[in-house]
Amino acid sequence: NAGVTQTPKFQVLKTGQSMTLQCAQDMNHEYMSWYRQDPGMGLRLIHYSVGAGITDQGEVPNGYNVSRSTTEDFPLRLLSAAPSQTSVYFCASSYGRENEKLFFGSGTQLSVL
Amino acid sequence: ILNVEQSPQSLHVQEGDSTNFTCSFPSSNFYALHWYRWETAKSPEALFVMTLNGDEKKKGRISATLNTKEGYSYLYIKGSQPEDSATYLCAFSRGTSYGKLTFGQGTILTVHP
């Protein structure tokens, strides 16, 4: 059972480049989300989805796009990378019911130069 | 934006000591409170999810309590071991659906042999 799979693990971009962080889960979870981790800031929610075709903004959505065409996949797109998006990104998923925990991917360390 | 406050920010204890941390959250419209353990170079892993006022959860030497009326949760570790060294995160959601899960900044625990 693979759980939540994130790719890539590391990425270096130049300012203005675009890229997609991939996230896939094989647990048939309805809820998927993206967080960023910055020193001293805790985990901050970027976007989340409560099911295929449904997405919503989190706390820090600017500069990021998401879509949820299937239950399994929830990619995060950076359309024009900025140095402020240098961070560690985590994808997480859950069954989405009130007493269900989050399962996290292994993280993507992104540097924007 | 919800404020989820964790205290202390960091804690150093000796092996065998018992310790506890606090998570404070807005008490209105409560939905669920999560606790996660985050070891260095790994992904956060769920410890507990609590939804009812007065909930108490236990997993080995670690336990947690919840007071939704006053907006706080305690995490207790009995007889700390070096392998308990990690960042402990709490996360809070409100409303009628899973939706936005807001994390605190975490408490960094170091257990010295």
Side-chain angles (χ1 to χ4, degrees):
Chain A
N1 192 344
V4 181
T5 303
Q6 271 186 252
T7 56
K9 291 190 182 300
F10 302 95
Q11 183 72 49
V12 179
L13 294 177
K14 295 181 179 179
T15 298
Q17 286 186 313
S18 63
M19 79 158 296
T20 299
L21 306 184
Q22 301 291 345
C23 177
Q25 52 87 16
D26 61 358
M27 297 174 280
N28 201 30
H29 283 169
E30 294 179 0
Y31 178 87
M32 296 186 75
S33 54
W34 279 101
Y35 288 87
R36 59 178 289 173
Q37 165 67 31
D38 302 296
M41 300 291 289
L43 287 167
R44 291 185 294 168
L45 183 64
I46 304 171
H47 286 283
Y48 67 99
S49 169
V50 297
I54 305 170
T55 64
D56 204 351
Q57 295 181 352
E59 182 184 352
V60 288
N62 292 341
Y64 307 95
N65 279 356
V66 292
S67 60
R68 185 98 178 267
S69 56
T70 67
T71 299
E72 294 79 17
D73 300 297
F74 190 45
L76 179 72
R77 299 182 187 85
L78 284 71
L79 299 179
S80 179
S84 61
Q85 294 178 304
T86 294
S87 187
V88 180
Y89 292 85
F90 286 95
C91 178
S93 72
S94 167
Y95 285 110
R97 293 183 288 273
E98 59 184 11
N99 57 348
E100 295 290 343
K101 61 186 178 182
L102 287 179
F103 291 82
F104 283 85
S106 57
T108 296
Q109 188 162 340
L110 175 68
S111 295
V112 183
L113 306 178
Chain B
I1 297 175
L2 302 175
N3 285 330
V4 181
E5 302 287 340
Q6 289 189 248
S7 63
Q9 288 190 347
S10 64
L11 194 56
H12 291 257
V13 301
Q14 292 297 126
E15 183 175 355
D17 288 349
S18 294
T19 187
N20 65 85
F21 325 132
T22 303
C23 174
S24 301
F25 53 88
S27 57
S28 62
N29 208 14
F30 174 85
Y31 190 73
L33 191 286
H34 298 220
W35 281 100
Y36 292 84
R37 179 167 70 188
W38 194 357
E39 296 179 66
T40 303
K42 294 186 178 180
S43 303
E45 290 187 353
L47 290 170
F48 308 112
V49 179
M50 295 182 287
T51 58
L52 299 176
N53 184 46
D55 257 355
E56 294 187 18
K57 301 277 187 176
K58 187 174 182 180
K59 185 177 183 179
R61 294 179 290 100
I62 304 176
S63 60
T65 61
L66 177 66
N67 184 323
T68 62
K69 296 185 185 305
E70 297 183 35
Y72 65 85
S73 176
Y74 294 136
L75 187 77
Y76 301 92
I77 302 179
K78 184 178 179 181
S80 302
Q81 300 296 310
E83 57 264 32
D84 295 329
S85 297
T87 298
Y88 291 83
L89 301 170
C90 73
F92 163 79
S93 64
R94 70 193 324 180
T96 58
S97 63
Y98 201 86
K100 298 180 179 180
L101 198 62
T102 302
F103 280 81
Q105 292 187 0
T107 292
I108 303 171
L109 174 66
T110 304
V111 182
H112 299 281

